[in-house]
Amino acid sequence: MIGRLLAAYRRLRLGTRLALGLGALALVVFAVVGTALTTYMRDYLSNQLDDQLGLAQVAQSKSIAQNGTLQGKKYYHWYYAVYDVSGGEAVLRKPEEPDDLPRDIAPLTSLARAQSAADTEMLRTAHLTGEGEYRLRACEVKPGVVLVSGAPTDAIGETVRRLITVQVIAFGLALLALVVFGRRMLRRGLNPLSDMAHTAHGIASHDLTESAARLPLRADKRGGGPEVEELRTAFNTMLEHIDDSLAVRAEAEQRLRRFVADASHELRTPLMSVRGYADLFQYAAANAPEERDRHLARLRAEAARMGVLLDDLLLLARLDAAEVDAPLRLQEADLVELVEEAAAAFRASHPDRPLTLASGPVALKLRIDPHRIRQVLDNLLTNAAVHTPAGTRVSVRVAQEHDSAVVRVEDAGPGVPPADRERVFDRFYRVDKARSRDRGGSGLGLSVASALVGAHGGTIGLSGGPGATVFTVTLPLR
């Protein structure tokens, strides 16, 4: 039975459970207040009756002491008994009226005997047979004479019963009003939580497997107090985070598809060339040696080009995966010396482009992978040569700024359009889509450079406008 009640309680809505909880707490409070009030009222009425008994006995004691008889005001349904206790026993005097004594006088006699022994006024509540509960008071009228008066307590009991009835009705109505109106107020205050639940159900109905999935739903209902507002803010912040994560995932999936398509296209071109020259070499095997050598040279060139592309892809994959066996071999190296070597190699391979190596520090020691940093420098210089016309000036500058080493590669070419600057470091991205791959490369050079610099804990950025392109490589000194 109790288990079924608990199960039914758990199935109730939160507002109803809170209202019932408040009702139970109010019931306890009402019980405590009612008990205290009833006890106080009973004690107050009993004290009033005791005072009334005392005042009545004062006048009656004077009458007995002066006249020998019980005179004065008598109360309806009260009992009066006079005892002589001089001989050690409580001897009842004859009452003036038959109604002054109850049929059961044993409690009165017992109280008179106790008063004579204690020699002080005494109060006692006793049950008189056939009469009910009575409040008895005994006092000494004069030496050897004791007056015992008894007042009924029916009025006190009736008053207390009425008070309890009124309390039960009033507290019951108050409890009912508290539960009913409290439940309505709680449900109204918890409406924002219901709104969040509906929002969560709406999100659950969305298909988040699609690449373009977003979460347009938010919990917008206000109210509920600071705690609910805080919960709503956290809930909406979580939705914003999920929405941003979905957007990032969609962008990553789109980039992955684009990357796979571009990689397949880049690999397809040299593979088709290799296949074509292999067929030409097969059919021209009996021809002149010069023709065979020309076909073999083209086969080697295409294979080398495909090998460079695969090496770049493998390097990017290893940098992305952050493998334990990272493609970096860190050691102490001079950045200035690496820049000078890269500049010398650029002058030898591109004599038609004047290169200026700006003066800077004599030496700049860093803990880097010299082979990979040299690869970054070669990629940036090659990019300047490939994307600028013959005769374009190129300059390289090495400097130390605060706790970083900075290398700037600048050319006076046409520059990069602002719309393309944010994507020049994307893989397989080309500013000039119509540029030949033989001249424009695979579109991985800047991606490899950015990944390698990032693996060293540095940054690479692009700046400049029309007529100038500046790549800035920043490496930490420590």
Side-chain angles (χ1 to χ4, degrees), residues 314-336:
L314 177 60
L315 176 61
L316 289 172
R318 294 177 66 188
L319 290 173
D320 288 342
E323 296 178 359
V324 177
D325 184 18
L328 296 181
R329 300 293 183 266
L330 300 179
Q331 63 185 55
E332 198 77 18
D334 186 1
L335 181 61
V336 176

Side-chain angles (χ1 to χ4, degrees), residues 420-465:
D420 295 319
R421 290 179 184 175
E422 295 183 358
R423 297 194 57 191
V424 293
F425 297 104
D426 290 351
R427 298 166 190 182
F428 296 112
Y429 185 79
R430 295 183 181 85
V431 176
D432 186 1
K433 307 298 188 299
R435 186 179 295 274
S436 169
R437 284 179 172 79
D438 291 335
R439 186 168 180 267
S442 63
L444 289 177
L446 292 180
S447 299
V448 172
S450 177
L452 288 174
V453 172
H456 282 84
T459 59
I460 182 171
L462 171 62
S463 60

Side-chain angles (χ1 to χ4, degrees), residues 31-43 160 163 167 171:
V32 172
V33 171
T35 301
L37 182 60
T38 302
T39 302
Y40 172 78
M41 181 60 67
R42 186 189 299 274
D43 293 341
V160 170
L163 177 62
Q167 287 178 350
F171 289 166

